[in-house]
Amino acid sequence: MAAVASLVTLLSPVMAASSSSAIVADGSSFSLNGNDVSYRFHVDNSTGDLISDHFGASVSGDIPIEVTGNVNGWVNTIGRVRREFPDQGRGDFRQPAIRIRQSEGYAVSDLRYQSYTVKQGKPDLSGLPATFGTDDEVSTLIVHMYDNFSSVAADLSYSVFPKHNAIVRSANITNQGKGNLTIESLASMSVDFPYENLDMISLRGDWAREAHRERRKIEYGKQGFESATGYSSHLHNPFLAVMDPASTESNGEVWGFSLVYSGSFSVDVEKGSQGITRALVGLNPSQLSWSLGPGESLTSPECVAVYSENGVGGMSRSLHNLYRKNLIKSKFATADRPALLNSWEGLGATFNESTIYQLAKESAALGIKLFVLDDGWFGDKYPRTSDDAGLGDWIPNPERFPDGLSHAVNSITALKAANTSTNLRFGLWFEPEMVNPNSTLYHEHPEWALHAGSYPRTLTRNQLVLNVALPEVQDFIIDAVSNILNSSDISYVKWDNNRGIHETPSPSTDHEYMLGMYRVFDVLTTRFPDVLWEGCASGGGRFDPGVLQYFPQIWTSDDTDAVERITIQMGTSLAYPPSAMGAHLSAVPNQQTGRTLPVDFRGHVAMMGGSFGLELDPSDMPEDDKAALPALIELAEKVNPIILTGDMYRLSLPEESNWPAVLFISEDGNKAVLFYFQINPNINHAIPWIKMQGLDPKATYRVDGNSTYSGSVLMKIGLQFPIATDYGSKVVFLEKQ
Ligand SMILES: *[C@@H]1O[C@H](CO)[C@@H](O)[C@H](O)[C@H]1NC(C)=O
Ligand SMILES: *[C@@H]1O[C@H](CO)[C@@H](O)[C@H](O)[C@H]1NC(C)=O
Ligand SMILES: *[C@@H]1O[C@H](CO)[C@@H](O)[C@H](O)[C@H]1NC(C)=O
Ligand SMILES: *[C@@H]1O[C@H](CO)[C@@H](O)[C@H](O)[C@H]1NC(C)=O
Ligand SMILES: *[C@@H]1O[C@H](CO)[C@@H](O)[C@H](O)[C@H]1NC(C)=O
Ligand SMILES: *[C@@H]1O[C@H](CO)[C@@H](O)[C@H](O)[C@H]1NC(C)=O
Ligand SMILES: *[C@@H]1O[C@H](CO)[C@@H](O)[C@H](O)[C@H]1NC(C)=O
Ligand SMILES: *[C@@H]1O[C@H](CO)[C@@H](O)[C@H](O)[C@H]1NC(C)=O
Ligand SMILES: *[C@@H]1O[C@H](CO)[C@@H](O)[C@H](O)[C@H]1NC(C)=O
């Protein structure tokens, strides 16, 4: 029986890492070591299968070989062990990380260990976004596996960033045989957790309701989530946390998985019959079906996995640091972002050169540094005056700009931000992946829109999606955007994307589209490195690490109601650094919820995002609110460096408390800023104490320029903030003495 097969490995313990270097490998055991994390696996001597030993707290020395239960019943040994890269067939009935269909029709694979390579640094991922680092920051182990029967090679690439406690994995599958294969599923990361009780967290939502944190117990059987929209989507984010059921925001073991990809994905968590929990993160199998001819390869996107013993917050801070330093390529990653005003909620698509100049002038008078013209500026034969025309025709509307767009840009950039010698900068909105049937582009190239034969081309928001998989479409977009950026002094681009993908010629089009889109992003951001690029997809519909590689910031949600935004921004911060979030103060009553909130509350929530802005027409504001704006802009500029580079501590969560609070601590630990909110009034009731985190317990901190307290008092006892009304807020500065 199969039990005999595992006897050989049962007799000898897995060899231990003998040094503290980041990667220790000897061809039979492998150890990846971060500062506070170990990731270990070994080759089963008798079978050549890769067996997982540990992903968690830093350990050294031998690990006892896992004793499997009696092999009785239908499940073979291979279905009872923790596998590094589970293939299909051979008696493991759990969901595989890879499923390949051979030309003969078999969907069985037999990937066994062959050899390994270790490299300093981290190779690129050929056309896919990927974390990067110097030889000092990251090391890479490549494990070569091979299926003798199908001649398929699988290279598993593991990179370890010791400082961030991050392990990054991708898989590269090559067809070395003579037949054609189809890759039907390919997970970037597959982790088998030992038998224990676990919880998981995902981020779910919809348009204007992104990133709601969902925690649940992992039950026997499958539980998972996916995006099948063609993009990472508002519906579910490509992020998973797995944790000990006792872990909290600030304590306990938490594993975070974040897929560096912007297309359809799937996350599958399966607690198998034996109680082992398998987590798979990768491309969505329903949109893969990738054919691989002889000699061809498919590389999966990479998945980042971090481990923390400091709760969900510790996991988030590891991802934030890694993404700020080793994912976002833009020179603006941690540079101060100009306070901006976006015209959308103020003017919508109804404006002319003089009305936008007026809005820009008012913005400058308030201290705004960047004026952003949103939708509605383009289209000649099919002018973009409503959402049923113009997308695809990236030519300034000649009626709105009779003297050309550059005339308007020149007059706006000649304005000075109030009381400074800083010229106002100009930004522009695009939605380059889309086309309206009412456009010259569509009339000339109907074949460029995604479609499936003669099936109807279903419109969403009156628009179709261009097939960015086609090189001619990629070149069209690159030229159209370059032309506009070359024509005027434009220093910011908001790149929007407002519908999902439905009809495609083939399931594999979704991934081909992403590869094409990444080429477009790469060419444009390399060509225009001085432009501050902001991603957007009806708000946070494409808030993912793939986009962050190219764009340092993303519009977090089309819902600008500040109470809603606390939940959305805190949820988004589970995986993404606050530096990456666009957040704006908008008018009241709020356009999405109808709620009226105090201007300070709206401003304070917005300045917790790395890119603070206004989304309104100041001339429509009540005088008092308008008068408050300069001070709020100044405060946003003051806190911005701490938000961009500091550590974030979610002190209390909006879903659990009437007093959500967040502390940001500067990188050097010398300054901190606390944001504290009271949602409902607190009538005739004790006032809660809010406890800080992450301070030096022995140091002394000055609170808002007057009282001083020790870090231990601030963390163990906390501070109180009496607020009389509902929707109250405080911004409090701490300075280490
Ligand atoms: C695997 O087998 C080789 C040779 O039989 C032996 O030297 C080695 O110690 C074994 N390794 C493990 C991990 O059992
Ligand atoms: C994948 O493997 C093929 C074949 O060995 C190689 O040519 C290609 O460069 C690899 N891709 C990556 C991203 O490593
Ligand atoms: C695969 O084939 C090679 C060469 O024939 C052989 O050495 C190796 O043992 C085979 N591996 C497996 C798992 O069958
Ligand atoms: C593989 O697919 C290609 C393209 O569809 C086809 O030309 C070729 O004949 C196929 N090869 C085999 C061995 O089936
Ligand atoms: C621009 O629009 C405003 C407001 O609708 C209008 O008063 C003004 O005459 C327009 N200017 C031009 C040049 O069309
Ligand atoms: C600019 O300075 C003037 C005079 O000190 C002041 O009244 C005004 O509020 C300032 N504006 C801004 C936006 O700071
Ligand atoms: C094209 O524009 C016309 C006129 O605005 C509008 O009635 C029609 O619905 C639009 N067609 C589509 C497909 O959006
Ligand atoms: C725009 O300018 C860049 C460099 O400034 C140049 O590489 C590119 O070819 C220009 N593109 C177009 C379409 O004019
Ligand atoms: C602390 O300073 C702030 C402003 O600097 C002031 O508003 C507040 O009243 C002071 N609090 C105390 C207790 O002195």
Side-chain angles (χ1 to χ4, degrees), residues 374-691:
D374 208 280
D375 201 351
W377 59 268
F378 53 92
D380 48 355
K381 200 162 161 214
Y382 299 89
R384 179 75 168 173
T385 49
S386 71
D387 66 15
D388 66 12
L391 286 174
D393 297 347
W394 300 105
I395 294 161
N397 178 329
E399 264 179 53
R400 290 184 171 186
F401 302 101
D403 304 313
L405 178 67
S406 55
H407 182 267
V409 174
N410 290 342
S411 58
I412 288 170
T413 55
L415 294 163
K416 303 271 188 217
N419 304 339
T420 70
S421 55
T422 309
N423 284 70
L424 195 58
R425 291 156 63 185
F426 184 86
L428 202 57
W429 178 95
F430 286 90
E431 195 180 354
E433 296 154 81
M434 300 289 161
V435 65
N436 283 117
N438 279 331
S439 68
T440 302
L441 181 70
Y442 192 70
H443 284 94
E444 286 177 358
H445 290 290
E447 79 285 7
W448 282 5
L450 278 171
H451 63 283
S454 55
Y455 279 92
R457 303 176 178 201
T458 309
L459 293 172
T460 298
R461 205 184 184 236
N462 306 313
Q463 67 198 53
L464 295 168
V465 186
L466 291 173
N467 185 356
V468 183
L470 302 173
E472 55 272 32
V473 171
Q474 296 160 24
D475 292 340
F476 163 78
I477 294 175
I478 290 168
D479 287 346
V481 175
S482 295
N483 274 332
I484 297 290
L485 297 187
N486 282 356
S487 72
S488 308
D489 183 11
I490 294 166
S491 45
Y492 164 105
V493 168
K494 177 177 173 187
W495 186 294
D496 208 344
N497 177 301
N498 287 316
R499 63 160 283 183
I501 290 175
H502 321 157
E503 295 87 7
T504 57
S506 146
S508 60
T509 307
D510 287 275
H511 184 55
E512 290 163 6
Y513 178 111
M514 278 302 136
L515 295 175
M517 191 193 80
Y518 289 136
R519 178 182 161 242
V520 169
F521 284 0
D522 184 47
V523 169
L524 284 171
T525 54
T526 306
R527 187 176 287 175
F528 298 99
D530 298 329
V531 168
L532 171 58
W533 298 82
E534 175 169 283
C536 176
S538 306
R542 210 159 56 183
F543 208 123
D544 63 62
V547 169
L548 284 181
Q549 170 106 93
Y550 310 95
F551 301 167
Q553 64 187 48
I554 299 174
W555 178 231
T556 316
S557 176
D558 280 348
D559 186 348
T560 56
D561 176 290
V563 172
E564 299 279 297
R565 269 298 189 113
I566 295 177
T567 299
I568 294 171
Q569 291 172 202
M570 281 218 208
T572 303
S573 78
L574 278 189
Y576 307 102
S579 65
M581 291 184 216
H584 297 172
L585 187 174
S586 63
V588 286
N590 181 270
Q591 284 195 2
Q592 292 79 29
T593 63
R595 178 156 39 196
T596 295
L597 294 169
V599 69
D600 282 349
F601 189 99
R602 285 177 273 151
H604 294 163
V605 171
M607 64 184 75
M608 292 195 293
S611 174
F612 170 85
L614 307 180
E615 181 105 12
L616 43 75
D617 182 347
S619 61
D620 289 343
M621 290 179 88
E623 270 316 308
D624 285 355
D625 282 6
K626 190 174 162 183
L629 292 179
L632 285 168
I633 293 168
E634 201 178 73
L635 183 61
E637 287 175 341
K638 183 175 169 194
V639 302
N640 196 240
I642 309 180
I643 307 290
L644 288 174
T645 58
D647 276 336
M648 177 190 200
Y649 292 83
R650 292 176 295 256
L651 303 180
S652 74
L653 303 178
E655 52 270 44
E656 291 171 358
S657 168
N658 187 42
W659 297 276
V662 184
L663 183 70
F664 295 89
I665 304 179
S666 67
E667 229 175 350
D668 62 10
N670 289 334
K671 285 184 182 167
V673 58
L674 168 72
F675 290 86
Y676 177 86
F677 303 96
Q678 173 168 296
I679 308 296
N680 293 312
N682 188 42
I683 304 300
N684 194 19
H685 192 282
I687 295 156
W689 291 83
I690 183 83
K691 293 175 182 157

Side-chain angles (χ1 to χ4, degrees), residues 8-9 12-15 28-29 42-43 45 65:
V8 180
T9 44
S12 54
V14 180
M15 293 305 291
S28 74
S29 69
H42 74 274
V43 181
N45 249 3
I65 283 286

Side-chain angles (χ1 to χ4, degrees), residues 238-390:
F239 160 79
L240 166 74
V242 171
M243 71 212 66
D244 184 307
S247 293
T248 64
E249 191 55 34
S250 51
N251 279 300
E253 293 195 281
V254 180
W255 294 260
F257 301 94
S258 175
L259 185 67
V260 185
Y261 193 58
S262 312
S264 294
F265 69 91
S266 83
V267 171
D268 293 287
V269 179
E270 180 178 9
K271 188 164 179 174
S273 62
Q274 299 286 320
I276 291 172
T277 296
R278 174 169 293 172
L280 300 173
V281 180
L283 295 166
N284 191 329
S286 73
Q287 285 155 338
L288 189 56
S289 190
W290 193 270
S291 62
L292 219 52
E296 290 179 349
S297 298
L298 173 67
T299 302
S300 78
E302 66 180 32
C303 181
V304 172
V306 296
Y307 168 77
S308 171
E309 284 177 293
N310 301 313
V312 179
M315 171 209 69
S316 295
R317 286 185 292 278
S318 284
L319 286 170
H320 296 174
N321 273 307
L322 178 74
Y323 284 174
R324 278 196 302 248
K325 297 186 172 117
N326 302 95
L327 174 71
I328 302 172
K329 284 187 171 167
S330 167
K331 66 180 193 184
F332 300 105
T334 54
D336 292 6
R337 310 286 168 79
L340 65 82
L341 183 139
N342 179 296
S343 68
W344 182 246
E345 287 192 18
L347 293 184
T350 312
F351 56 82
N352 58 32
E353 184 172 345
S354 72
T355 56
I356 66 157
Y357 179 75
Q358 277 312 314
L359 183 59
K361 204 171 149 187
E362 283 201 67
S363 310
L366 295 168
I368 287 294
K369 309 290 185 299
L370 166 68
F371 176 79
V372 179
L373 179 57
D374 208 280
D375 201 351
W377 59 268
F378 53 92
D380 48 355
K381 200 162 161 214
Y382 299 89
R384 179 75 168 173
T385 49
S386 71
D387 66 15
D388 66 12

